[in-house]
Amino acid sequence: RYVTVVENNHVDILFYTDTNAHVQYYRVLRSNDPAGPFEEAGIAQDNGSASISFSDFGVDVNSSSYYYQIEVVDSCGRPSIIANTSRTIFLRAEALPDYSNRLTWNAYESWQGSMLGYNVYRRLDDAAPELIATLDSMTLTYIDNTSGFTGSVSKITYIVEAFEGE
């Protein structure tokens, strides 16, 4: 269903399951490259629900994006990949001389349907994030003019959120 970076320290994964399948467990696989090799990030037990969540704390989300696959191990111990490959968003911010910040990120990869675009949020100090832009799915950069915040803000945090189509 999705992969998302949480609090700049781990990745949360939510995937759908077939509640009629006979599953021993699910292997969550991770790689820095879409072609692999994929290594095991952990095991998620089948709990009989239609979706399962998993948190991957074995990553450095501040250095790169990650690709994930889910492998089901059936009741006979046979593994097979059951989900499309998903990729987290890795956001970079660069302070420019004109008191603006250039944001760049990689495309979110996961959904079988269309990816409509990105919402860009700004958080000043510890305030709630504020939506500052909604961009189409082909736009992977944004310039944020922060000249009005000089001296009044000690920390600016950005969040980029992909959103799905039909």
Side-chain angles (χ1 to χ4, degrees), residues 7-20:
E7 300 299 322
N8 277 337
N9 75 353
H10 70 279
V11 174
D12 278 352
I13 301 154
L14 181 71
F15 59 95
Y16 292 133
T17 65
D18 179 354
T19 57
N20 295 318

Side-chain angles (χ1 to χ4, degrees), residues 21-134:
H22 299 287
V23 174
Q24 283 188 26
Y25 57 89
Y26 299 91
R27 291 180 66 219
V28 178
L29 306 175
R30 172 188 353 106
S31 177
N32 292 99
D33 188 289
F38 282 82
E39 62 184 33
E40 184 177 292
I43 299 289
Q45 295 300 321
D46 182 29
N47 60 12
S49 69
S51 62
I52 295 177
S53 62
F54 178 86
S55 295
D56 184 7
F57 288 91
V59 290
D60 179 4
V61 297
N62 294 302
S63 67
S64 69
S65 69
Y66 294 92
Y67 294 88
Y68 288 91
Q69 292 181 340
I70 305 299
E71 180 181 77
V72 62
V73 177
D74 68 17
S75 59
C76 296
R78 291 184 302 234
S80 63
I81 301 296
I82 63 161
N84 49 309
T85 301
S86 299
R87 183 183 187 191
T88 60
I89 294 173
F90 179 63
L91 170 64
R92 292 177 188 90
E94 175 188 2
L96 301 175
D98 66 352
Y99 298 102
S100 64
N101 293 322
R102 177 186 296 128
L103 309 178
T104 58
W105 59 92
N106 62 274
Y108 180 76
E109 300 172 33
S110 176
W111 297 312
Q112 296 289 349
S114 64
M115 215 280 284
L116 284 185
Y118 299 95
N119 287 325
V120 179
Y121 298 86
R122 179 197 315 123
R123 178 184 307 156
L124 302 176
D125 292 325
D126 293 321
E130 171 190 359
L131 178 65
I132 58 172
T134 297

